[in-house]
Amino acid sequence: MDGKPLRVTIWNEFRHEKANPEVAALYPDGMHEALAAPLRAAGHDVRTATLDDPEHGLTEEVLAGTDVLLWWGHRHHRDVDDAVVDRVWKRVLDGMGLIPLHSSHFSKIFVRLMGTTCHLKHRVAGERERLWLVARGHPIAEGIPEHFDLQPEEMYGEPFDIPPPEELVFVSWFQGGEVFRSGCCYTRGQGRIFYFRPGHESYPTYHHPTVQRVIANAVRWAAPRDVAPRQFGRSAPLEPI
Amino acid sequence: MDGKPLRVTIWNEFRHEKANPEVAALYPDGMHEALAAPLRAAGHDVRTATLDDPEHGLTEEVLAGTDVLLWWGHRHHRDVDDAVVDRVWKRVLDGMGLIPLHSSHFSKIFVRLMGTTCHLKHRVAGERERLWLVARGHPIAEGIPEHFDLQPEEMYGEPFDIPPPEELVFVSWFQGGEVFRSGCCYTRGQGRIFYFRPGHESYPTYHHPTVQRVIANAVRWAAPRDVAPRQFGRSAPLEPI
Amino acid sequence: MDGKPLRVTIWNEFRHEKANPEVAALYPDGMHEALAAPLRAAGHDVRTATLDDPEHGLTEEVLAGTDVLLWWGHRHHRDVDDAVVDRVWKRVLDGMGLIPLHSSHFSKIFVRLMGTTCHLKHRVAGERERLWLVARGHPIAEGIPEHFDLQPEEMYGEPFDIPPPEELVFVSWFQGGEVFRSGCCYTRGQGRIFYFRPGHESYPTYHHPTVQRVIANAVRWAAPRDVAPRQFGRSAPLEPI
Amino acid sequence: MDGKPLRVTIWNEFRHEKANPEVAALYPDGMHEALAAPLRAAGHDVRTATLDDPEHGLTEEVLAGTDVLLWWGHRHHRDVDDAVVDRVWKRVLDGMGLIPLHSSHFSKIFVRLMGTTCHLKHRVAGERERLWLVARGHPIAEGIPEHFDLQPEEMYGEPFDIPPPEELVFVSWFQGGEVFRSGCCYTRGQGRIFYFRPGHESYPTYHHPTVQRVIANAVRWAAPRDVAPRQFGRSAPLEPI
């Protein structure tokens, strides 16, 4: 492992796995545990949190002790408490990395950080997705081939109503004829955000080694820097006026 | 005039002018009228709206008939109704241009579109601001010299907690020793946003011809395009799967 | 027409049309004339220039009188004189717009302005290209549907060795499984550059009305602004030191 | 040290130090050695190369064994052999980091990678430069205060004829009234470039600990990733056509 271990929190809605046997078969311990395993194996200090935990598992203490937060939500975005969203938002601006996955494009936290609707096209048809790397030298590209396929995957298509990514790492090709900006980097305050498209709950996407590698790279990329807090507000002159 | 006339709405808090004789002396009809005059002279169809108008003057009808909205707010951001903010936000995403001026960095609409706190440093000390053009070929730069001075002006200093501008047009130098990203372009949905720093209420900034020219250029740049509405949601394949 | 007429020069290698009857059948007067027709119809002042003209038709006088230069080259990039490339480069930095089309990704002028190799993947297989609009509010998007198809077209695929586009307007989907950043905006000096992918010589691409509309929009977008020349070099202080 | 040691090569013109006693007094072993010391202390594998070495010290072997190249040139850019520039250019595109310092804005390699003139304003008047951090969460910002002063320094002022930085990390304020984009990130091919402004030869800038920290951070940021070479050229379809 290049670099020190990070404190990673993986947040999962964790309701599909309980309600849908097909999802449970793929992710018997929840998607969060599938996401956690390779990060633990890489030496990171990983904990998990879910929607139905008290405060959704994201207390002030948990967030204060989190370097990078992964987020997977889908049907129940509205059940996430606004006070918790506000708390996460502040931590991102203070430097915590955030990695919203797949249907988390519609999560309250991502929508708030983007300032747009984050709408898109979608289709569940078991089709092939091919992710093309368009930023070959990016830290998130390390060890990733020029393209890799996922099949089956859900289609997400343009238009994707996000601000133009500051760095665009992946563009997806879909068998049904669409394209999608699938790996998008942003900075907000001192925090770094990487939206990564793949991961429909009824497909085994998070067991795919290349997907796991992308996420591991993104965790490293999104890690907070050792910086002093920013100083705002009324300010005395530094030079004579 | 190059290009067709646009429908411009100028929104002003319009309370400083009533409460502070110093501001009233500079802007006897309100800052909105000072901003309106050169845009009317350029042939645009300009109307104004203020905080204390019903619905803040920003009804559905007014917004539907607005190509570009200028916004000046300062002390009373919190008095702007969330329902009106939501309405403006939707119109921006649908293509209406937005030009938040000066202390509108803290307006609800700008903060929502940016996704950050929009905090900054500030100081009212009557000092000199020098705006340097750093994007010489940008439409907003047309007819603007490489730098121009405003004195007195309020200081706004870095850090400015905004997403990195998609295009950075001006950087300010301040006599007291600070710099500031003073002209910042963004796109959100189909709308274009230009934040422009100058314009403290107790200084005659909006009577300055170069400031007026920048704002006129920005109105032209932010004008909506003739585009079909975007299609989101469930989508049939275009190719066989 | 919104805005004043522009002085457009269309440069074409104009050798395929002479050597290849298939190309001549599609473009009997050369691709430059096919490109010129809709721009003339829109009221612009259009002239053409070709590789085998003296100085390739790009004398100082011609360039000085050009607002926007379109460029189509393919097999004979190396035959373009370096002195002419240098001349075009200076004019772009001074504000002339440049629209390199299709295989002009490898033209000396584009490579020089980008600073990279501009390599890509390619395949001539008569397949379908579908261009997706990913910047809905961009001036170049005006009147363009969310996607449009070209068939047959040549495939260009990622990786495309360009600097990250400052604005990405189109992403292409190809039937054979690739994606490509097909509409890319850059600024260099005071000039604006729009690379647009479609246009293989043995296909009727430049007769397609949507392609023509994209190019017409790009001409308008790339038009130079009325700006004073930039001042460089040794400079006296503006403030006491 | 967070992360593995890197192979760093520091290139210096190394003529001012021989010709000018004032420079020699500040940098008795050359600026390259002053730059090398803190990087060596940080554990990197550092070598140096200078203009008057055979092949300017930048043989194929040296470049193949270099992760990140620092470059300091000033008066003698024209003496750098084009074949060596070409060699460095290829290595950057293949992933080698490049950190052009100060007057290297005019080096052949930087100009080639940027595609513009890289002109700017300048003045040697012993004035104060204040660098403001405008990208607080950037890896290059780690451990750097919100602003820091250098005095005396040479003034570099806008306009700076570069492509818009992909990431803007520092903006300088100068006592004489100018501003400058002082820390600029770019990607070209698989390589990462960080232009950093400070470092006039007759001032002790490279002994300043904050300057040293910025450069150390930039070396880490610019390090190449473990990526497969990119595949260009004719390409068979991945899907049936």
Side-chain angles (χ1 to χ4, degrees):
Chain A
M1 176 192 238
D2 188 29
K4 60 183 184 194
L6 296 165
R7 300 168 303 169
V8 179
T9 300
I10 301 176
W11 191 90
N12 183 14
E13 207 171 274
F14 197 32
R15 286 190 182 165
H16 292 279
E17 297 92 331
K18 294 171 189 164
N20 183 338
E22 192 187 1
V23 181
L26 287 166
Y27 299 108
D29 302 313
M31 274 183 284
H32 49 292
E33 288 299 329
L35 289 161
L39 296 173
R40 284 196 181 110
H44 294 296
D45 174 14
V46 180
R47 72 172 107 192
T48 64
T50 69
L51 180 58
D52 294 314
D53 291 340
E55 303 186 49
H56 313 316
L58 298 174
T59 61
E60 290 284 4
E61 291 73 18
V62 165
L63 289 175
T66 298
D67 292 319
V68 180
L69 176 65
L70 276 69
W71 192 280
W72 196 99
H74 185 201
R75 290 270 170 83
H76 303 283
H77 296 308
R78 262 176 278 182
D79 293 353
V80 178
D81 191 71
D82 286 339
V84 172
V85 174
D86 200 59
R87 197 184 284 164
V88 174
W89 181 71
K90 283 182 181 134
R91 267 295 289 151
V92 170
L93 299 184
D94 280 348
M96 182 181 74
L98 178 70
I99 303 178
L101 294 167
H102 192 58
S103 41
S104 305
H105 72 92
F106 253 175
S107 63
K108 285 180 175 179
I109 183 60
F110 187 61
V111 168
R112 180 160 182 194
L113 286 160
M114 295 297 103
T116 54
T117 68
C118 302
H119 266 295
L120 44 73
K121 284 193 175 67
H122 55 91
R123 173 178 63 237
V124 176
E127 72 200 275
R128 178 154 56 258
E129 173 178 18
R130 178 171 298 123
L131 291 105
W132 286 94
L133 199 43
V134 297
R136 202 74 191 89
H138 196 278
I140 294 176
E142 188 150 15
I144 306 299
E146 64 158 35
H147 74 268
F148 64 98
D149 288 7
L150 300 174
Q151 187 173 25
E153 247 298 353
E154 184 177 4
M155 186 282 291
Y156 276 13
E158 298 284 343
F160 184 17
D161 184 23
I162 46 170
E166 296 166 29
E167 298 173 301
L168 178 63
V169 183
F170 294 105
V171 172
S172 287
W173 175 100
F174 287 95
Q175 204 178 357
E178 291 87 356
V179 298
F180 195 72
R181 290 168 292 171
S182 278
C184 299
C185 297
Y186 296 94
T187 54
R188 291 290 182 271
Q190 300 178 191
R192 312 181 119 206
I193 301 158
F194 179 65
Y195 173 78
F196 188 47
R197 198 214 74 81
H200 184 63
E201 68 271 9
S202 61
Y203 300 141
T205 301
Y206 296 129
H207 297 301
H208 191 291
T210 307
V211 168
Q212 291 177 347
R213 179 69 193 267
V214 170
I215 292 171
N217 289 348
V219 163
R220 178 66 58 202
W221 172 84
R225 309 295 154 178
D226 175 20
V227 288
R230 294 175 294 170
Q231 302 297 321
F232 299 116
R234 201 172 305 272
S235 183
L238 302 162
E239 303 285 331
I241 294 176
Chain B
M1 176 191 236
D2 188 28
K4 60 183 183 193
L6 297 165
R7 300 168 302 168
V8 179
T9 300
I10 303 177
W11 191 90
N12 183 15
E13 206 171 274
F14 197 31
R15 287 190 183 165
H16 292 279
E17 296 92 331
K18 293 171 190 163
N20 184 338
E22 193 187 0
V23 180
L26 286 165
Y27 300 108
D29 302 314
M31 274 183 285
H32 49 291
E33 288 299 329
L35 289 161
L39 296 172
R40 285 197 181 110
H44 294 297
D45 174 13
V46 181
R47 71 173 106 191
T48 63
T50 69
L51 180 56
D52 294 315
D53 291 342
E55 302 187 50
H56 312 317
L58 298 174
T59 60
E60 290 284 5
E61 290 74 16
V62 165
L63 289 174
T66 297
D67 293 318
V68 181
L69 175 65
L70 277 70
W71 191 281
W72 197 98
H74 185 201
R75 291 269 170 84
H76 304 283
H77 296 309
R78 261 175 280 182
D79 293 353
V80 178
D81 191 71
D82 286 340
V84 173
V85 174
D86 200 59
R87 195 185 285 166
V88 174
W89 181 72
K90 284 183 181 133
R91 268 293 290 152
V92 170
L93 299 183
D94 280 348
M96 182 181 71
L98 178 70
I99 304 179
L101 294 167
H102 191 59
S103 40
S104 305
H105 71 92
F106 254 175
S107 63
K108 285 180 175 178
I109 182 61
F110 187 62
V111 167
R112 179 158 182 195
L113 286 159
M114 295 296 103
T116 53
T117 69
C118 302
H119 265 294
L120 45 74
K121 283 193 176 64
H122 57 90
R123 173 178 62 237
V124 176
E127 73 200 275
R128 179 155 53 259
E129 172 178 19
R130 178 171 297 123
L131 291 105
W132 287 92
L133 199 43
V134 298
R136 201 75 190 92
H138 197 278
I140 294 176
E142 187 150 17
I144 307 298
E146 64 157 35
H147 75 268
F148 64 99
D149 289 7
L150 300 174
Q151 187 171 24
E153 249 298 354
E154 184 177 3
M155 186 283 292
Y156 276 13
E158 297 285 343
F160 183 18
D161 184 23
I162 46 171
E166 296 165 29
E167 298 172 301
L168 178 62
V169 182
F170 293 105
V171 172
S172 287
W173 174 101
F174 287 96
Q175 205 179 357
E178 290 86 357
V179 298
F180 195 73
R181 289 169 291 172
S182 278
C184 300
C185 297
Y186 295 94
T187 54
R188 291 289 182 272
Q190 299 178 192
R192 311 181 118 206
I193 301 158
F194 179 64
Y195 173 79
F196 189 46
R197 198 215 74 81
H200 185 62
E201 68 273 7
S202 61
Y203 300 143
T205 301
Y206 295 129
H207 298 301
H208 191 291
T210 308
V211 168
Q212 292 177 349
R213 178 71 192 265
V214 170
I215 292 171
N217 289 347
V219 164
R220 178 67 59 202
W221 172 83
R225 309 294 155 181
D226 175 21
V227 288
R230 294 176 294 170
Q231 302 298 322
F232 298 116
R234 200 172 308 270
S235 183
L238 302 162
E239 304 284 331
I241 293 177
Chain C
M1 176 191 235
D2 188 30
K4 58 182 186 195
L6 296 165
R7 300 168 303 169
V8 179
T9 299
I10 302 176
W11 191 90
N12 183 15
E13 208 171 271
F14 196 32
R15 287 191 181 163
H16 291 280
E17 297 92 329
K18 294 170 189 164
N20 185 337
E22 190 186 2
V23 180
L26 286 166
Y27 299 107
D29 302 312
M31 273 182 284
H32 48 293
E33 289 299 330
L35 289 162
L39 296 173
R40 285 197 181 109
H44 294 296
D45 174 14
V46 180
R47 71 172 107 193
T48 63
T50 70
L51 180 57
D52 294 315
D53 292 340
E55 303 187 51
H56 314 316
L58 299 173
T59 61
E60 290 283 3
E61 291 72 17
V62 165
L63 289 175
T66 297
D67 293 319
V68 180
L69 176 65
L70 276 69
W71 193 280
W72 196 99
H74 185 201
R75 289 269 171 85
H76 304 283
H77 296 309
R78 262 175 279 183
D79 294 351
V80 178
D81 191 71
D82 285 339
V84 172
V85 173
D86 200 57
R87 195 184 286 165
V88 174
W89 180 71
K90 283 183 181 131
R91 267 293 290 151
V92 170
L93 299 184
D94 280 347
M96 183 181 72
L98 178 70
I99 303 178
L101 293 167
H102 190 60
S103 40
S104 305
H105 72 93
F106 253 175
S107 63
K108 286 181 175 177
I109 183 61
F110 187 61
V111 167
R112 179 158 182 195
L113 286 160
M114 295 297 103
T116 55
T117 68
C118 302
H119 266 295
L120 44 72
K121 284 194 173 67
H122 56 91
R123 173 178 61 236
V124 176
E127 70 201 278
R128 179 155 55 260
E129 173 179 18
R130 177 171 298 123
L131 291 105
W132 286 93
L133 197 44
V134 298
R136 201 75 191 87
H138 196 279
I140 295 176
E142 186 149 16
I144 306 300
E146 64 157 35
H147 74 268
F148 64 99
D149 288 7
L150 300 173
Q151 185 171 27
E153 249 298 352
E154 184 176 4
M155 186 282 292
Y156 276 13
E158 298 285 344
F160 184 17
D161 185 23
I162 46 170
E166 297 165 28
E167 298 172 302
L168 178 63
V169 182
F170 293 105
V171 172
S172 287
W173 175 100
F174 286 96
Q175 203 179 358
E178 291 87 357
V179 298
F180 194 71
R181 289 169 292 171
S182 277
C184 300
C185 298
Y186 296 94
T187 55
R188 290 290 182 271
Q190 300 178 190
R192 312 180 120 206
I193 301 157
F194 180 65
Y195 172 78
F196 189 48
R197 197 212 77 79
H200 184 62
E201 68 273 9
S202 61
Y203 300 142
T205 301
Y206 296 129
H207 297 302
H208 191 291
T210 307
V211 168
Q212 292 178 347
R213 177 70 193 266
V214 169
I215 293 171
N217 289 348
V219 164
R220 178 66 58 200
W221 172 83
R225 309 296 154 176
D226 175 21
V227 288
R230 294 174 296 167
Q231 303 298 320
F232 298 117
R234 200 173 308 271
S235 184
L238 302 162
E239 303 285 331
I241 294 174
Chain D
M1 176 190 236
D2 187 31
K4 60 184 182 193
L6 297 165
R7 300 167 302 168
V8 179
T9 299
I10 302 176
W11 192 90
N12 183 16
E13 206 172 273
F14 197 32
R15 287 191 183 164
H16 291 278
E17 297 92 329
K18 294 170 188 162
N20 183 338
E22 193 187 2
V23 180
L26 286 166
Y27 299 108
D29 302 314
M31 274 182 287
H32 49 291
E33 289 298 330
L35 288 162
L39 296 173
R40 284 195 181 110
H44 294 297
D45 174 14
V46 181
R47 72 172 106 191
T48 64
T50 70
L51 180 56
D52 294 315
D53 291 340
E55 303 187 50
H56 314 316
L58 299 174
T59 61
E60 290 283 5
E61 291 73 17
V62 165
L63 288 176
T66 298
D67 293 318
V68 181
L69 176 64
L70 276 69
W71 192 280
W72 196 99
H74 186 201
R75 290 269 170 84
H76 305 282
H77 296 309
R78 262 175 280 181
D79 293 354
V80 178
D81 191 71
D82 287 339
V84 173
V85 174
D86 200 58
R87 195 185 286 165
V88 174
W89 181 73
K90 284 182 179 132
R91 267 293 290 149
V92 170
L93 299 184
D94 280 347
M96 182 181 73
L98 178 70
I99 303 178
L101 294 167
H102 190 59
S103 39
S104 305
H105 72 92
F106 254 175
S107 62
K108 286 180 176 179
I109 182 60
F110 187 60
V111 168
R112 179 160 183 193
L113 286 160
M114 295 296 104
T116 54
T117 67
C118 301
H119 265 295
L120 45 73
K121 283 194 174 67
H122 56 90
R123 173 178 62 238
V124 176
E127 72 201 276
R128 179 156 53 260
E129 173 179 17
R130 178 171 298 124
L131 291 105
W132 286 94
L133 198 45
V134 297
R136 200 77 190 88
H138 196 278
I140 295 177
E142 186 149 17
I144 306 298
E146 65 157 33
H147 74 268
F148 65 99
D149 288 7
L150 300 173
Q151 186 172 28
E153 248 299 351
E154 184 177 4
M155 186 283 292
Y156 275 13
E158 297 286 341
F160 184 17
D161 185 23
I162 46 170
E166 296 166 29
E167 297 173 302
L168 178 62
V169 182
F170 294 105
V171 172
S172 287
W173 175 101
F174 287 96
Q175 203 179 358
E178 291 86 358
V179 298
F180 194 72
R181 288 168 293 170
S182 278
C184 299
C185 297
Y186 296 95
T187 55
R188 290 291 181 272
Q190 299 179 192
R192 311 181 119 205
I193 302 158
F194 180 65
Y195 173 79
F196 189 46
R197 198 214 74 82
H200 184 63
E201 68 273 7
S202 63
Y203 300 143
T205 301
Y206 295 130
H207 298 301
H208 191 291
T210 307
V211 168
Q212 292 177 347
R213 178 69 193 267
V214 169
I215 293 170
N217 289 348
V219 164
R220 177 66 58 201
W221 171 84
R225 310 294 155 178
D226 174 21
V227 288
R230 293 175 296 168
Q231 303 298 321
F232 299 117
R234 200 172 308 270
S235 184
L238 302 163
E239 303 285 332
I241 293 176

